Amino acid sequence: MVKKAELEILEEIAPNTFMIRYDDKKFLATKSRSKPHYGEKKYAEFREWIPYRSKLAAMILNGYRIKLKPDMKMLYLGAASGTTVSHLSDILEEGVIYAVEYSARPFKKFLELSMERRNIIPLLKDASKPEEYAGIVEKVDFIYQDIAQKNQREIFVKNAEFFLKENGEGLIMVKARSIDSVAEPSEVFSRFLSEMEENFTILKHGKLDPFHKDHIFVHVRL
Amino acid sequence: MIEYKVWFGKIYKRNSELEVIKSDDFVESFIESRCEKLPFSLKEISLKIFPSEEEYYSELRRTAIRVAEIEVEKELKSSDRYIISLLKALDEIDLGINLFSEKIRDLEEIRTDKTTEEFRRIVGELKELRKDIERRISSEASKLMPNVTELVGGVIAARLLERAGSLKRLASMAGSTIQILGAEKSLFKAMSRIKKGKKAKTPKHGIIFQHPYIRTLPKKLRGKMARFLASKLAIGARVDYYSGELKEDLAEAVRKKYEELRG
């Protein structure tokens, strides 16, 4: 007789976010009413959250946790085709995610996601020009940024100035190569961190290895 | 009085009074909205015209999706053509700059006067314009084809696009075709020689030769690098066309190959 596979919750990490064991497999997942979005598997109501695809999942699996509340308002810069946003949409069940992406092709796929989810406001805009969506986006509790661009720090600072509430938090995914393609990553990161300190309190930073090479996350508070 | 164009209409600020004029077409006002940092809370103000928060969000979401649908189609339809015509403009400006610079030299050999100074000023302005156009090409190219642009930079990416005609066609090309794109003339010359039983060398690279990773290598290694870069470009173009998401390992692999070859 075939043994039926069992699903077990090992740990609750954030709202609707769990470490799951299924058979011999241990993985991160979000509880979701929606169907898979980027080729991830769904076990019962749990959508696998793949760290190689999502830097936020990589950060969590590397042991760092941020506090997310179900009713948060979030501004997400660099939504791409919506891999990470899809999981945040599970987590911020009662919240709103204003998601900015400037490239039309991935945005097309992201738009499909926005239609399925009630809490996503899709914006085809350039994140370096917040004036173009200042009449649309309200003040938010959290800004998440994943845009591999040279001036990503300036873009984050500008958006925080426009939209981040006092004591609001931010999470920035930094790719060394896109800031400086020749310098040592460790140098690029320490320069980035010291510049961030001018405007924010840095709560934590860390590597995203082995899932994303030469990347760090930076968690800040205004 | 200050006017703020927000997605649901216009807000007028007189002294400290705020007046809201609701738009009768949210899609239109959403597209037109543009403002500096608001000195008031958008959400609070919205409740003057929306009966509840829930209705505010559902109207906002509906409008955002509608606008996004319109803009995505528009953008996808026009960006190939936009990049190609920017590139043509760039090439024509280069011609102009060269032509004028030559004329300046000719004139200065004879005499320097107001006319030559005027020429210099114009060339200076053309050079500025050239920089602007190049920046524009890079930013448009990284939107349309992030992977190809990451691999070879905006201008070379735009040249490949121009040769292929569209991203769709570039995405359907084999690496070996991309490798000699722009060197068709010498390829056909070599092929016709081979057909006649004569000896001939087929070209190693076309447009992509402009890339520093190829140009800076010793001659006998260039073919190898060109082949490798072209194969990654073929993958990149497909990812760009079908998903549009940046695959970071492509550029990484090319960089490693270059370092390995350079020794």
Side-chain angles (χ1 to χ4, degrees), chain A residues 189-206:
Chain A
F189 295 143
S190 69
R191 208 179 333 136
F192 186 90
L193 290 168
S194 71
E195 284 173 352
M196 279 305 282
E197 268 179 335
E198 291 168 19
N199 307 77
F200 303 94
T201 312
I202 294 178
L203 300 171
K204 179 86 182 170
H205 61 89

Side-chain angles (χ1 to χ4, degrees), chain A:
Chain A
M1 210 177 94
V2 183
K3 198 181 143 218
K4 206 183 158 199
E6 266 181 57
L7 197 141
E8 186 191 348
I9 293 179
L10 300 173
E11 188 194 350
E12 183 174 355
I13 284 165
N16 279 342
T17 312
F18 306 93
M19 276 307 292
I20 301 278
R21 197 185 54 75
Y22 183 83
D23 259 358
D24 296 335
K25 202 180 162 194
K26 232 179 95 180
F27 58 93
L28 185 66
T30 55
K31 199 172 162 186
S32 179
R33 275 178 287 184
S34 307
K35 61 182 205 285
H37 177 60
Y38 57 97
E40 77 284 18
K41 286 208 170 85
K42 198 173 174 187
Y43 303 89
E45 72 265 70
F46 297 98
R47 258 189 338 119
E48 180 188 16
W49 193 355
I50 306 173
Y52 290 97
R53 302 289 303 277
S54 165
K55 293 177 192 112
L56 184 56
M59 182 197 82
I60 293 170
L61 286 175
N62 279 359
Y64 188 64
R65 309 286 150 86
I66 51 168
K67 230 194 182 137
L68 295 169
K69 288 188 217 124
D71 62 348
M72 253 182 180
K73 306 283 190 297
M74 181 184 275
L75 173 60
Y76 191 112
L77 305 172
S81 61
T83 305
T84 303
V85 182
S86 74
H87 291 284
L88 282 168
S89 163
D90 292 336
I91 297 169
L92 310 184
E93 244 184 333
E94 315 291 322
V96 177
I97 305 169
Y98 294 92
V100 177
E101 171 57 45
Y102 84 143
S103 175
R105 215 166 289 273
F107 192 82
K108 205 171 173 179
K109 184 162 184 221
F110 177 58
L111 200 49
E112 287 167 24
L113 180 80
S114 312
M115 289 178 192
E116 287 162 19
R117 309 291 190 118
R118 283 178 38 238
N119 54 358
I120 301 175
I121 313 283
L123 299 165
L124 184 64
K125 300 278 184 192
D126 181 348
S128 66
K129 295 176 187 138
E131 343 33 280
E132 287 182 3
Y133 47 92
I136 299 167
V137 175
E138 63 185 302
K139 288 267 187 301
V140 297
D141 307 291
F142 204 101
I143 300 181
Y144 183 100
Q145 188 199 51
D146 183 4
I147 44 172
Q149 273 191 56
K150 205 169 182 164
N151 57 342
Q152 74 172 113
R153 190 186 63 84
E154 286 87 340
I155 294 175
F156 184 86
V157 171
K158 209 170 165 193
N159 277 277
E161 211 176 279
F162 267 79
F163 306 110
L164 194 56
K165 284 181 191 166
E166 215 168 305
N167 283 319
E169 293 181 14
L171 190 62
I172 311 154
M173 299 302 174
V174 188
K175 180 188 171 194
R177 294 248 168 263
S178 57
I179 293 184
D180 189 329
S181 58
V182 285
E184 267 303 300
S186 60
E187 248 172 65
V188 178
F189 295 143
S190 69
R191 208 179 333 136
F192 186 90
L193 290 168
S194 71
E195 284 173 352
M196 279 305 282
E197 268 179 335
E198 291 168 19
N199 307 77
F200 303 94
T201 312
I202 294 178
L203 300 171
K204 179 86 182 170
H205 61 89
K207 289 184 173 174
L208 297 176
D209 284 82
F211 309 108
H212 301 268
K213 260 191 68 195
D214 295 334
H215 279 76
I216 55 166
F217 71 84
V218 183
H219 183 199
V220 299
R221 180 186 289 139
L222 190 63

